[in-house]
Amino acid sequence: MNGADLLVRTLVSSGVEVCFANPGTTEMPIVTAFESTPEIRVYLGLFEGVCTGAADGYGRMLDKPAMTLLHLGPGFANGIANLHNARRAKSPVVNVVGEHATWHRDSDPPLAMDIERLARTVSGWWRTSRSAQDLAGDVDESVAAARLGQVATLIVPNDFQLAECEEHPASIRAILFDPIDPHSIEVAASRLQTFQKVALMLGGRALRKAGLHAVSRIKKAIGCDLFSQSLPGYMDRGLELPPVERIPLFPDQATSLLSRYGAVLLAGTGEPVTFFGYPGVSSRILNDEQEKITLCTDRQDVVEALECLADALGASPNLMGGNSVSTKLRRPTLPDGNLTAEKACVTLAAVQPENAIIVDEAVSSGHFYDALTIGLPPHTVLPGSGGSIGLGIPCATGAAIACPDRPVINLEADGSALYTIQALWTQAREGLNVTTLVCSNRSYRILQTQLNRAGITSYGLKTQALTELTQPAIDWVRTAEGFGVPATTVSTTEALVRELCKALAEPGPHLIEMLLP
Ligand SMILES: Cc1ncc(C[n+]2csc(CCOP(=O)(O)OP(=O)(O)O)c2C)c(N)n1
Ligand SMILES: [Mg+2]
């Protein structure tokens, strides 16, 4: 076998089942190695940001890594924006990046770049392999690093992919979290009990079912309120789960929401900070008087820590009684008439099927949606996480590949959609059950809102040119159909209900342009 075979076989024996790829000449031995490895499924993304966003979506859904295969520094660079989102989402991703042959590298060929430097910006683990035989150990370590909830990047020179080497058995390693310190949990429990009003700020695995189960025990014991950062990576929501509120994006709203709490427990996330720096406004959302208690480190299992905390607070394992979880089905009533962003959100909440995966990159159109979902049937929400737009369509693609039996609905802002629109082609090629709802307000509306908030209400021609998506308007139906995805445009709530139900009933991807004011 050669190094490429060893690499692919080790990935498979470490539990990796899918690869989102956009290969070039330096990765062709790995492409060939896929041929003799039926255990790994491969998907072509027509831009590296599609591959990395899809790997992120897959990783978020299954909490285990997909692999990407990327071409040299330029290919990796194209994938970085969505790897940034993956890093913020604590998503497990393993990148394999081809590199020039070691003997060729020093001649500074046209595509040469400092790949390690790029890798550092988004990866919790990175390495350039030193020999073909080392590849098994490298892969093993990269997968173990990714499974802790980080991006791992392995750079593999082409000559090592081609070199002969020995088979090396590897197996799936258990995730190696650092142990929880019972004393620090006791301290956290007794501090929390001294405050009247406590907030839990949740992130990472704390927002998955198992974490939320422990959280609801804590809520039942001490009556705290539950929050997440504005853009968490993953949230299980709906019936039988406790209501978690995403903190607002704008600092004044976030600060006033959280100022009433004497203590904030940080579980799986850091202290909340404002999205941008605004002159005269503090970067931190919590004030100095509020006590901040960090439950555990990134290297510890937040779910286990939450369970220990629930035990330390004397919380009963039984969740019945009290109001720590929503138990009553509450679907909003369908609105009627011409669509607005709010009506689009209400319609989605009224119609979305049980077990749906909602990929939320609706930007300014989506903020009505969250509050409507507490009493809905169980579902999962995947928000933008790192604020780098262009994640939604790739992320929905990866989520659908991870969970083929679950309907995926992607609430997608028009400007954001256009960064990685070619992911629609992968959805069509693979026949994925994704319905993309484009929030067609024909502008970068949030930028205009930011200007309004800064007191600028009339725009000059240049500001208009840089914030409006008109002249020409995007033809969404022809764009989607060009990539092989059936599409339609709706302007009323009634038409949206009809088209959404039709799209959900038919297999394969669909796109619905929602005309919004
Ligand atoms: C990669 C990247 N480029 C640029 C931005 C800056 N940015 C934030 S929101 C936005 C426009 C959003 O427009 P759209 O997706 O249509 O959402 P809307 O504001 O209209 O709801 C831009 C350009 C960003 N966040 N990420
Ligand atoms: Mg827009």
Side-chain angles (χ1 to χ4, degrees):
M1 66 160 48
N2 65 19
D5 295 319
L6 180 61
L7 175 130
V8 172
R9 284 189 207 177
T10 314
L11 278 159
V12 166
S13 51
S14 311
V16 174
E17 293 181 86
V18 301
C19 174
F20 297 100
N22 191 285
T25 304
T26 39
E27 298 75 40
M28 288 323 272
I30 297 173
V31 172
T32 310
F34 286 144
E35 290 294 351
S36 52
T37 319
E39 300 91 337
I40 196 156
R41 289 173 282 138
V42 298
Y43 302 95
L44 179 61
L46 300 181
F47 171 67
E48 291 82 353
V50 171
C51 303
T52 53
D56 180 10
Y58 177 98
R60 292 190 198 195
M61 287 316 302
L62 297 187
D63 204 14
K64 70 171 201 170
M67 162 196 181
T68 70
L69 181 63
L70 308 171
H71 181 53
L72 295 161
F76 186 77
N78 278 345
I80 281 184
N82 275 338
L83 290 173
H84 161 81
N85 287 321
R87 177 173 84 87
R88 291 291 184 192
K90 300 185 198 268
S91 204
V93 175
V94 173
N95 301 305
V96 174
V97 187
E99 168 63 299
H100 285 298
T102 48
W103 49 265
H104 186 49
R105 182 75 185 73
D106 286 345
S107 65
D108 193 25
L111 277 162
M113 239 173 137
D114 189 340
I115 311 174
E116 274 202 15
R117 273 216 195 176
L118 295 173
R120 270 167 215 232
T121 59
V122 286
S123 315
W125 182 100
W126 66 88
R127 176 175 301 162
T128 303
S129 292
R130 284 186 210 89
S131 77
Q133 200 59 57
D134 280 344
L135 282 168
D138 293 342
V139 166
D140 204 27
E141 271 186 54
S142 68
V143 175
R147 283 165 64 86
L148 283 171
Q150 27 181 20
V151 174
T153 302
L154 179 60
I155 301 158
V156 189
N158 180 259
D159 48 339
F160 300 161
Q161 298 174 35
L162 291 168
E164 283 303 306
C165 56
E166 304 283 310
E167 178 133 27
H168 170 102
S171 55
I172 304 179
R173 293 201 212 172
I175 302 183
L176 291 177
F177 289 117
D178 291 346
I180 303 286
D181 168 20
H183 176 67
S184 70
I185 299 284
E186 290 294 337
V187 172
S190 67
R191 286 303 302 155
L192 286 177
Q193 280 163 319
T194 62
F195 290 92
Q196 284 273 317
K197 293 214 55 97
V198 171
L200 266 52
M201 184 66 61
L202 307 168
R205 288 188 174 85
L207 292 164
R208 292 176 181 269
K209 252 177 221 146
L212 291 171
H213 185 85
V215 164
S216 37
R217 291 177 59 209
I218 296 168
K219 181 171 167 62
K220 197 175 167 199
I222 60 168
C224 50
D225 292 330
L226 312 176
F227 298 95
S228 79
Q229 305 270 19
S230 320
L231 295 177
Y234 177 106
M235 305 179 92
D236 279 322
R237 286 179 83 77
L239 287 181
E240 308 299 336
L241 292 173
V244 178
E245 192 175 341
R246 283 160 68 175
I247 60 171
L249 219 50
F250 295 121
D252 46 340
Q253 297 165 3
T255 308
S256 85
L257 179 69
L258 293 179
S259 62
R260 66 183 91 129
Y261 298 95
V264 178
L265 179 85
L266 304 166
T269 184
E271 195 184 323
V273 295
T274 62
F275 222 74
F276 296 106
Y278 299 92
V281 177
S282 163
S283 300
R284 294 165 61 228
I285 288 169
L286 303 176
N287 61 46
D288 287 343
E289 284 71 54
Q290 292 176 290
E291 180 149 337
K292 296 115 202 153
I293 304 166
T294 300
L295 182 66
C296 58
T297 69
D298 264 2
R299 297 271 159 177
Q300 293 172 316
D301 181 0
V302 66
V303 177
E304 187 191 345
L306 286 164
E307 281 162 357
C308 293
L309 180 66
D311 292 342
L313 290 166
S316 90
N318 174 12
L319 289 177
M320 292 302 128
N323 58 357
S324 65
V325 297
S326 6
T327 49
K328 196 158 171 280
L329 184 66
R330 265 178 290 136
R331 288 265 193 196
T333 348
L334 272 176
D336 54 20
N338 284 343
L339 274 174
T340 59
E342 183 168 8
K343 285 190 203 173
C345 292
V346 177
T347 306
L348 172 59
V351 169
Q352 71 178 62
E354 179 159 1
N355 233 3
I357 299 167
I358 310 295
V359 178
D360 171 9
E361 193 173 47
V363 191
S364 71
S365 301
H367 57 262
F368 305 100
Y369 174 70
D370 239 36
L372 302 163
T373 62
I374 287 161
L376 295 186
H379 61 281
T380 301
V381 181
L382 306 182
S385 75
S388 175
I389 58 179
L391 174 68
I393 306 179
C395 184
T397 306
I401 286 170
C403 304
D405 301 330
R406 296 180 65 177
V408 179
I409 302 175
N410 175 198
L411 194 59
E412 183 66 30
D414 51 359
S416 301
L418 291 165
Y419 285 66
T420 42
I421 188 70
Q422 62 276 60
L424 288 177
W425 177 83
T426 307
Q427 294 181 5
R429 189 187 223 199
E430 304 299 333
L432 303 177
N433 294 323
V434 181
T435 303
T436 306
L437 297 175
V438 175
C439 305
S440 179
N441 58 18
R442 296 164 304 284
S443 63
Y444 286 165
R445 181 66 50 82
I446 192 123
L447 302 189
Q448 298 175 340
T449 308
Q450 293 271 22
L451 286 176
N452 289 343
R453 286 175 61 88
I456 302 163
T457 46
S458 74
Y459 316 131
L461 288 177
K462 287 182 178 159
T463 307
Q464 274 178 38
L466 297 182
T467 59
E468 290 185 355
L469 304 180
T470 50
Q471 295 175 323
I474 312 296
D475 187 331
W476 285 98
V477 171
R478 281 170 65 193
T479 302
E481 286 178 353
F483 286 117
V485 173
T488 187
T489 297
V490 298
S491 59
T492 64
T493 313
E494 293 79 359
L496 174 59
V497 174
R498 186 184 67 237
E499 293 300 329
L500 179 55
C501 292
K502 202 167 110 194
L504 289 168
E506 279 175 11
H510 296 80
L511 181 143
I512 302 169
E513 177 195 19
M514 305 186 297
L515 281 174
L516 303 179

